[in-house]
Amino acid sequence: MTGIILSGGKSSRMGINKAFLEIDGERLIDRTVRQFKELFPEVILVTNEPLLYLDQDVALVTDIYKRKGPLGGLYAGLYYASFDYVFLCACDMPYLNVEFIRYMMGQVAGYDVVIPETSEGYFPLHAIYSRRALPTIKNLLERGDRLKVIGVFKGMRVLTIPESVIRSYDPEGMMFLNINTEQDLQQALTLKHQ
């Protein structure tokens, strides 16, 4: 399986590139790359600013379809991936759980998408996708009207990971926390030190 890190967001709410924010003295991008290298034989970073990431020992790719958000990033990652499955996540999730990702990887047989679902909904930026989704994604991108990642699910074999399983790995509910604002960053730091 290939690990795909999306780092193409504009970080408009944060004002600075979220990938370079630090938690516990480690930049988010360094933390994510380190964890992905534990899990995946291939790691791809999808970014529209590859020069910022030349210090990372991973494959750097840019969007094939520009300005299409996370769906465009997923397409680029899947397109360049060497393996049939990819695990996709955003660069601004400081508390990824390696064991939970391993659990998800163990569930892929017979499915095209493996995605966590809680009462808050799906977490499409913390999910596994099969290369079988490429034509569907391409179609969505070319139509351009529906760019939500969950649009990929139609016609796919989808396995949802229920909240009960998620909680067993993440009782504090921190795994899917992402940093979009200064307030999110403060919340992440507070949660970590409770």
Side-chain angles (χ1 to χ4, degrees):
M1 191 176 294
T2 300
I4 307 284
I5 303 167
L6 295 185
S7 192
K10 295 184 179 58
S11 303
S12 50
R13 286 181 281 179
M14 196 71 196
I16 58 169
N17 189 324
K18 297 182 289 191
F20 303 125
L21 290 173
E22 284 192 14
I23 290 197
D24 296 336
E26 188 175 26
R27 297 184 312 171
L28 290 181
I29 191 62
D30 298 330
R31 185 183 194 105
T32 307
V33 166
R34 176 174 51 77
Q35 289 172 312
F36 270 42
K37 286 190 158 224
E38 264 180 63
L39 289 161
F40 307 109
E42 176 179 60
V43 178
I44 296 175
L45 178 69
V46 182
T47 175
N48 291 313
E49 299 179 290
L51 295 178
L52 296 179
Y53 300 94
L54 294 178
D55 61 330
Q56 299 297 327
D57 183 24
V58 298
L60 300 174
V61 304
T62 59
D63 285 334
I64 296 164
Y65 291 90
K66 303 293 183 202
R67 290 179 292 286
K68 299 289 187 182
L71 191 63
L74 171 58
Y75 184 80
L78 269 174
Y79 183 87
Y80 289 111
S82 304
F83 296 95
D84 288 337
Y85 286 95
V86 304
F87 174 80
L88 175 84
C89 99
C91 70
D92 62 352
M93 300 174 80
Y95 301 123
L96 294 173
N97 183 312
V98 169
E99 291 312 312
F100 179 67
I101 296 169
R102 278 202 182 101
Y103 168 80
M104 288 180 67
M105 292 165 73
Q107 306 303 306
V108 296
Y111 293 98
D112 302 310
V113 178
V114 178
I115 187 165
E117 182 181 22
T118 70
S119 55
E120 294 173 40
Y122 292 117
F123 289 88
L125 299 189
H126 186 295
I128 294 172
Y129 299 90
S130 158
R131 289 180 62 85
R132 284 190 67 241
L134 275 169
T136 302
I137 299 169
K138 184 175 186 178
N139 185 30
L140 289 168
L141 291 169
E142 287 180 349
R143 285 195 359 231
D145 53 347
R146 291 190 186 89
L147 295 178
K148 292 245 181 276
V149 176
I150 57 171
V152 174
F153 297 1
K154 192 173 182 185
M156 296 285 134
R157 297 165 301 180
V158 178
L159 174 68
T160 56
I161 308 288
E163 196 148 13
S164 55
V165 174
I166 294 165
R167 288 278 170 246
S168 71
Y169 286 91
D170 182 34
E172 295 90 22
M174 292 171 62
M175 236 173 4
F176 306 130
L177 184 73
N178 65 336
I179 311 291
N180 287 313
T181 63
E182 186 63 39
Q183 190 177 353
D184 292 341
L185 179 61
Q186 293 315 315
Q187 180 191 3
L189 294 168
T190 305
L191 278 170
K192 188 64 179 175
H193 296 110
Q194 281 181 349

